[in-house]
Amino acid sequence: MDVDIGNLASILLEHAQDKLAVVDESGRYLYVNDASESLLGYEPAQLVGEQSREYVHPDDRQTVADRFERVSATGDRSATVRYRHATRSGEWVWLESRFTDLPDDALEGYAVSSRDITDQIAAERDRRDAESRLRTIAGTVGDVLWMFDGDWSEVLFVNPAYEDVFGQSVANLEADPQQFLEVVHPDDVPCVREAMRRVSSGESVDVEYRVNPTTDYGRWVWVRSEPIVEDGEVVRIVGFSRDITDRRRRERQLAVMDNLLRHNLRNDLSVILGNAECIAREAEEPSHGRAEIIRQQGADLLESADKQREIIELLTAQSVPDAIDLVPVVADAVEPIRERYPDATIRTALPDAATANALYEIQLAVTELLENAVDHAPDKSPDISVTVRSRPETVDIEIRDSCPPIPEVEFRVLTGDWEMDDVYHTSGLGLWLVYWVVDLSDGHIAFERTETGNAITVTLPRGQL
């Protein structure tokens, strides 16, 4: 079958989605295909013979003229330009046009192929606006915000806070991204390199290390890194670096004061307790009874010192929640209480497994709640039940007892409703330990008092082993 090539070409031109046109050297339309109607609202006959520049946005006319000049006067075969073209409805459409000087003597003029890029221009403008806002925000925060490529060979973004925290210019970092290792404390470089390797392999990483040789590496930073994965490959690494120097200093001071206080308290109380025991053995009433009071109060102070040590270690350990099966945790907490208080009845209802995200100190919290239940029993023989329940998003540990209602000050400590400066005696110190363990595990505590006893429910986020 013979094919009329000319007729076929004409059909294809008229049904093309792009606007195809021919203009003469002055820019006057000689030919326009039917796509002009769907793109611009003009029928081809309305444009043929018209000067094309009259339909170009005034702000874009010089740009279009310069590109057309490259083709018509300089001998370049083609040039591309973006501009706004008027529509019949009086609006503007962004077009990307390619001017071509075709090597065909039969074609008098220049071919122009145009496509609608209005949506693309809007998306690019939105992206630029978002980037501008991000840079504005990043320039006002104290944290160092940054983005590298997948192998740490190129800095894609870093905000000005980098210079103050790390003691190195942004320009130097961008020129050689590996230079940031030069401002890391030499002892910490291996740990930083390992963290970089892990992130490049697709892991999320938290790490703390010392930086800034201009301060004799006196700056501590906490760095959080996240890999951006596309098609199974790490293409970018984003993160932030936070100056935690003050926090580290306070932790160090707190640890020193804790050690001094604990050492002095234990030594002095040992002397007091030793003398109180001697008096209790040798003296008659009422001195014997008073010595026994001194001994008991001293023993309570030592117990409070031990709880205070556990709290200090908890608050300074920088621990993060991990996936933990709470069933063996609860079982290990219950057994010593049973042995220590044989008159107490402790029943458990435990599933085969119940994984939650929590600090490993959660066992201390469960132990403290069980001991608290025994202490509130008048005869040290309470009836206690411990139940672990898995829910779709959380795991609950419920502890019920048969004790009188727990004092308001203590359950308000547990639920976080009692302010720190309201702690007026040491009996609540263990309950503060419970509260902080649960709070740092991103959990919460609910409390219920009834005529038959108390119920405490610790709720923790569900985890995956």
Side-chain angles (χ1 to χ4, degrees):
M1 181 177 64
D2 294 334
V3 177
D4 186 339
I5 300 299
N7 184 53
L8 178 59
S10 176
I11 293 173
L12 292 174
L13 285 173
E14 296 310 325
H15 286 82
Q17 297 298 312
D18 288 352
K19 171 177 170 280
L20 304 176
V22 178
V23 300
D24 61 15
E25 290 190 356
S26 69
R28 183 168 54 90
Y29 281 120
L30 301 178
Y31 165 83
V32 181
N33 72 338
D34 287 344
S36 64
E37 186 170 4
S38 60
L39 290 179
L40 307 173
Y42 291 106
E43 295 180 4
Q46 293 176 292
L47 294 177
V48 172
E50 295 289 321
Q51 181 56 248
S52 61
R53 71 184 305 273
E54 296 300 325
Y55 294 87
V56 177
H57 193 286
D59 293 345
D60 300 333
R61 285 174 184 170
Q62 188 59 50
T63 301
V64 174
D66 290 343
R67 295 294 193 282
F68 186 64
E69 178 73 15
R70 285 177 52 183
V71 176
S72 62
T74 65
D76 286 353
R77 302 302 304 178
S78 64
T80 302
V81 64
R82 291 180 170 188
Y83 61 96
R84 286 159 288 183
H85 193 291
T87 68
R88 190 176 183 183
S89 63
E91 298 178 348
W92 299 98
V93 172
W94 276 95
L95 297 180
E96 183 177 74
S97 296
R98 185 174 184 84
F99 301 109
T100 304
D101 183 8
L102 296 176
D104 188 346
D105 294 339
L107 181 63
E108 296 180 358
Y110 301 87
V112 184
S113 174
S114 305
R115 64 186 184 93
D116 184 351
I117 59 168
T118 304
D119 291 343
Q120 179 181 337
I121 290 293
E124 291 175 356
R125 184 183 297 115
D126 290 344
R127 186 177 66 252
R128 288 195 299 270
D129 290 345
E131 290 176 353
S132 176
R133 289 193 295 270
L134 174 61
R135 290 186 179 275
T136 300
I137 294 171
T140 61
V141 300
D143 290 345
V144 182
L145 309 179
W146 46 262
M147 179 187 297
F148 284 76
D149 64 354
D151 61 1
W152 303 91
S153 62
E154 182 182 0
V155 178
L156 304 177
F157 174 81
V158 63
N159 66 332
Y162 174 81
E163 298 189 348
D164 180 57
V165 175
F166 283 78
Q168 184 182 68
S169 72
V170 169
N172 285 347
L173 179 66
E174 291 176 335
D176 181 6
Q178 295 300 309
Q179 277 200 18
F180 89 90
L181 288 172
E182 296 180 6
V183 295
V184 176
H185 193 290
D187 292 346
D188 297 336
V189 169
C191 141
V192 174
R193 286 189 182 277
E194 174 62 16
M196 293 168 63
R197 183 197 65 77
R198 289 170 56 197
V199 180
S200 292
S201 298
E203 294 184 49
S204 299
V205 174
D206 287 276
V207 64
E208 295 181 5
Y209 53 88
R210 293 160 289 181
V211 298
N212 200 331
T214 64
T215 64
D216 197 23
Y217 300 104
R219 290 282 184 93
W220 277 90
V221 290
W222 169 46
V223 181
R224 174 74 176 177
S225 306
E226 290 284 349
I228 305 299
V229 181
E230 295 180 3
D231 298 326
E233 179 182 358
V234 176
V235 294
R236 291 181 299 280
I237 299 169
V238 300
F240 68 88
S241 305
R242 176 168 297 169
D243 187 338
I244 58 168
T245 306
D246 289 342
R247 193 201 76 193
R248 278 278 184 164
R249 185 181 297 116
R250 287 193 298 271
E251 289 172 358
R252 195 162 55 244
Q253 294 167 347
L254 187 60
V256 170
M257 293 304 298
D258 174 54
N259 287 334
L260 288 173
L261 178 61
R262 226 171 343 113
H263 179 268
N264 293 341
L265 184 64
R266 281 193 167 278
N267 285 349
D268 292 346
L269 280 175
S270 295
V271 174
I272 292 172
L273 289 174
N275 283 278
E277 289 174 0
C278 290
I279 295 172
R281 284 195 307 268
E282 299 170 0
E284 299 179 354
E285 295 293 351
S287 297
H288 172 81
R290 289 172 180 169
E292 181 59 26
I293 292 174
I294 293 174
R295 189 199 64 76
Q296 184 58 51
Q297 291 295 318
D300 290 344
L301 280 175
L302 278 178
E303 182 179 355
S304 294
D306 289 337
K307 293 186 187 298
Q308 175 258 347
R309 175 183 54 79
E310 292 172 346
I311 290 174
I312 295 298
E313 290 178 352
L314 171 69
L315 298 179
T316 59
Q318 306 304 316
S319 301
V320 295
D322 199 1
I324 302 172
D325 185 356
L326 294 182
V327 172
V329 167
V330 170
D332 289 345
V334 167
E335 197 56 36
I337 301 298
R338 282 175 171 157
E339 294 177 359
R340 212 178 324 157
Y341 303 100
D343 294 335
T345 300
I346 304 178
R347 293 171 285 106
T348 60
L350 308 177
D352 292 336
T355 303
N357 280 329
L359 299 184
Y360 285 95
E361 289 84 355
I362 190 66
Q363 183 172 330
L364 288 175
V366 175
T367 299
E368 181 64 35
L369 291 175
L370 292 172
E371 288 182 339
N372 198 63
V374 175
D375 288 340
H376 278 82
D379 53 1
K380 302 297 183 182
S381 59
D383 185 358
I384 302 172
S385 68
V386 184
T387 305
V388 175
R389 299 187 186 92
S390 289
R391 304 185 187 278
E393 301 294 332
T394 59
V395 178
D396 293 344
I397 304 173
E398 181 189 78
I399 298 176
R400 288 186 174 272
D401 62 45
S402 58
C403 303
I406 188 172
E408 180 185 8
V409 61
E410 297 195 359
F411 86 75
R412 288 181 63 188
V413 165
L414 282 174
T415 57
D417 297 326
W418 201 265
E419 296 295 334
M420 283 286 294
D421 55 7
D422 291 330
V423 179
Y424 58 87
H425 58 73
T426 58
S427 65
L429 203 56
L431 297 180
W432 275 112
L433 174 63
V434 174
Y435 170 75
W436 278 318
V437 168
V438 175
D439 185 58
L440 292 172
S441 299
D442 297 324
H444 65 272
I445 304 175
F447 191 88
E448 178 186 0
R449 294 191 298 178
T450 69
E451 293 181 357
T452 58
N454 307 282
I456 299 172
T457 303
V458 174
T459 299
L460 300 166
R462 186 78 178 267
Q464 294 291 334
L465 286 176

